Amino acid sequence: MNNFNRELSKHLDALYAQGLRRELCRVDSPQGTHIQMDGQTLLNFSSNDYLGLANDPLIKEAAVRAVKKNGAGSGASRLICGSLAPHHELEEALAAFKNTEAAITFSSGYATAIGTICALLGKDDIIILDKLVHACVVDAARLCGAKLRVFAHNDLDDLEDILKWANKNSNPRILIVTESIFSMDGDAAPLCEIAALKEKYGAWLMVDEAHATGLYGKNRHGLAEELGVSSRIEIQMGTLGKALGASGGFICGSRTLIDFLVNHARSFIFSTAPVPAAAAAANAAVQFINSADGEKRRETLWARVHELQLQISNTTSRVRGRKSQIPSAIIPFLIGDESKAVEVATQLRKRGIFVPAIRYPTVARGKARLRVTLTAAHTAKDVSQLVSVLKNLNLEL
Ligand SMILES: *Cc1c(COP(=O)(O)O)cnc(C)c1O
């Protein structure tokens, strides 16, 4: 082994020793409730495909049609080679769906956060994050150069203290960023109260609805709709790769915000446009979610979530206490120790169930967990099978 590889493998060995080494597990089937891994069929509780759209014929056919009509590739950045129709159709659909003046899409949620936050803030500004926001927001906050402050998870008093401090600075832009449903805990942010604080202190608010788009609100716009605060959020972010079953990220907001991002969001400007198939698939998913079938699909998801909650409270000793009453398709089983979490995930896999062990740096050290996600494609039987395996493992969860 040469010095270069020796140096790197030292670090990989150290990760392994801490239960933190990660490896890709090849899947030979599409995403779905049953996946093929190493010749074994596993019941899958790991994906964010909450509405079961990733392998839905409707969505797939939209992608195939776009390949035939608009090609496989997109050529260049949308500002360089012209902007393909499927991207415009998707953005119009998103703006209509979310009731905003305009929308812009990016190649991923990660690129959305990086591009948007770095466009809006610079070194004279202040960014305030919930402790548990996604890594892409943390990375964006660091990259933009603004002063970074973090408030304790969902802690309004802590947030207000920081806002008071921020107001003492000389007229900076102040941006608060939170998620609506948190990706690794499945709990909800108090968006009304946060919106009230940002108004009181003249800050702006960005809400990442990656795990809520399509699932909450009368029209399934997200948690902001459910809580009636959408119009008070300057920057409404979402992703296209979770409940929408495709890939990409988006911002919905005022026409001015979107025009501003087209001119300043570097991850948009300096990146090849997503392939037409991705935009068309996402657009078909928006149409589906907007329909009566979308509502039915969502109800199926909540039925499964309810079944799991009921059976778990009857069997396993302890599920992480949840303060918010808002249901979520993300059900974490806190284990704590990283190696133990890996061990339990391995045991589950031996019994035909795939649940990921989520560890540092995705969550804090010592907060490793099994993250179960349910989808509308799961059946009641799938849920019972998961519970019975968890029960047989006799875990002290
Ligand atoms: C998944 C996720 C992202 C990133 O989106 P990608 O499209 O996967 O890059 C951003 N924010 C949150 C909260 C997420 O869970």
Side-chain angles (χ1 to χ4, degrees):
M1 206 188 267
N2 63 24
N3 282 340
F4 174 72
N5 288 314
R6 208 170 5 250
E7 169 68 17
L8 301 191
S9 62
K10 230 171 34 196
H11 286 268
L12 288 172
D13 293 346
L15 282 180
Y16 183 78
Q18 300 169 71
L20 294 177
R21 180 160 174 165
R22 301 176 183 212
E23 263 161 23
L24 293 169
C25 305
R26 172 175 165 153
V27 174
D28 291 300
S29 61
Q31 270 302 333
T33 56
H34 292 77
I35 52 176
Q36 283 289 123
M37 227 181 240
D38 275 339
Q40 195 188 1
T41 301
L42 298 173
L43 185 50
N44 177 22
F45 292 99
S46 67
S47 95
N48 300 318
D49 179 26
Y50 300 120
L51 295 176
L53 291 178
N55 193 38
D56 188 285
L58 212 70
I59 313 302
K60 286 199 286 189
E61 279 155 25
V64 170
R65 275 197 307 276
V67 169
K68 289 186 177 145
K69 185 169 170 207
N70 305 96
S74 61
S77 159
R78 290 169 63 188
L79 289 162
I80 297 290
C81 69
S83 174
L84 293 171
H87 297 120
H88 290 267
E89 286 158 10
L90 171 60
E91 286 165 354
E92 283 160 22
L94 283 167
F97 174 59
K98 299 276 281 184
N99 270 329
T100 57
E101 285 175 12
I104 180 175
T105 54
F106 293 76
S107 53
S108 69
Y110 192 97
T112 305
I114 297 281
T116 303
I117 290 171
C118 293
L120 289 167
L121 301 184
K123 68 175 177 35
D124 298 326
D125 303 317
I126 294 171
I127 185 162
I128 308 174
L129 311 181
D130 184 285
K131 175 93 170 107
L132 295 188
V133 291
H134 192 266
C136 65
V137 172
V138 176
D139 292 355
R142 288 182 180 145
L143 185 63
C144 77
K147 283 200 196 80
L148 169 58
R149 291 289 180 277
V150 175
F151 62 100
H153 178 51
N154 281 347
D155 186 331
L156 296 164
D157 293 334
D158 199 16
L159 172 59
E160 183 156 20
D161 285 345
I162 295 170
L163 285 165
K164 280 181 188 155
W165 163 83
N167 260 247
K168 288 194 202 118
N169 286 266
S170 55
N171 211 21
R173 292 178 175 178
I174 305 169
L175 177 67
I176 303 169
V177 190
T178 187
E179 275 165 44
S180 60
I181 296 292
F182 283 85
S183 62
M184 296 299 139
D185 291 71
D187 58 344
L191 294 181
C192 297
E193 292 79 359
I194 292 175
L197 282 176
K198 70 106 187 172
E199 281 151 14
K200 183 169 169 193
Y201 292 94
W204 299 337
L205 179 57
M206 173 168 173
V207 176
D208 181 353
E209 297 244 44
H211 298 275
T213 308
L215 305 185
Y216 299 85
K218 180 164 173 287
N219 302 297
R220 300 169 290 288
H221 301 172
L223 188 66
E225 185 200 17
E226 178 146 333
L227 300 177
V229 285
S230 307
S231 63
R232 295 161 69 191
I233 300 167
E234 284 83 2
I235 305 136
Q236 299 189 53
M237 174 177 163
T239 65
L240 303 168
K242 288 164 181 156
L244 280 91
S247 88
F250 66 86
I251 298 287
C252 283
S254 67
R255 181 76 254 167
T256 311
L257 168 66
I258 303 311
D259 290 346
F260 182 87
L261 292 177
V262 167
N263 283 276
H264 289 285
R266 296 170 65 88
S267 61
F268 175 86
I269 300 168
F270 298 107
S271 188
T272 299
V275 295
N283 191 0
V286 173
Q287 311 303 336
F288 176 85
I289 287 171
N290 224 347
S291 72
D293 288 337
E295 175 57 27
K296 260 191 242 152
R297 199 66 75 92
R298 169 170 74 170
E299 281 165 12
T300 305
L301 172 65
W302 294 137
R304 295 293 96 82
V305 169
H306 187 66
E307 286 156 13
L308 180 64
Q309 298 285 10
L310 274 181
Q311 293 179 54
I312 280 173
S313 52
N314 290 340
T315 55
T316 58
S317 49
R318 180 161 52 91
V319 187
R320 214 180 56 80
R322 189 164 274 145
K323 278 179 225 139
S324 85
Q325 292 304 306
I326 295 169
S328 154
I330 302 162
I331 298 115
F333 292 82
L334 209 56
I335 299 215
D337 181 70
E338 285 75 19
S339 302
K340 175 89 198 292
V342 173
E343 167 62 20
V344 176
T346 306
Q347 291 298 325
L348 281 169
R349 197 166 149 180
K350 280 189 187 144
R351 290 160 176 79
I353 298 219
F354 187 65
V355 175
I358 304 288
R359 293 159 282 160
Y360 176 84
T362 307
V363 293
R365 280 186 197 275
K367 296 236 161 128
R369 65 201 61 188
L370 295 177
R371 176 181 182 266
V372 168
T373 46
L374 293 178
T375 78
H378 285 115
T379 62
K381 201 168 142 256
D382 295 337
V383 172
S384 304
Q385 194 176 333
L386 169 67
V387 173
S388 106
V389 169
L390 285 171
K391 203 173 154 187
N392 282 336
L393 274 182
N394 227 350
L395 292 168
E396 271 190 58
L397 288 168

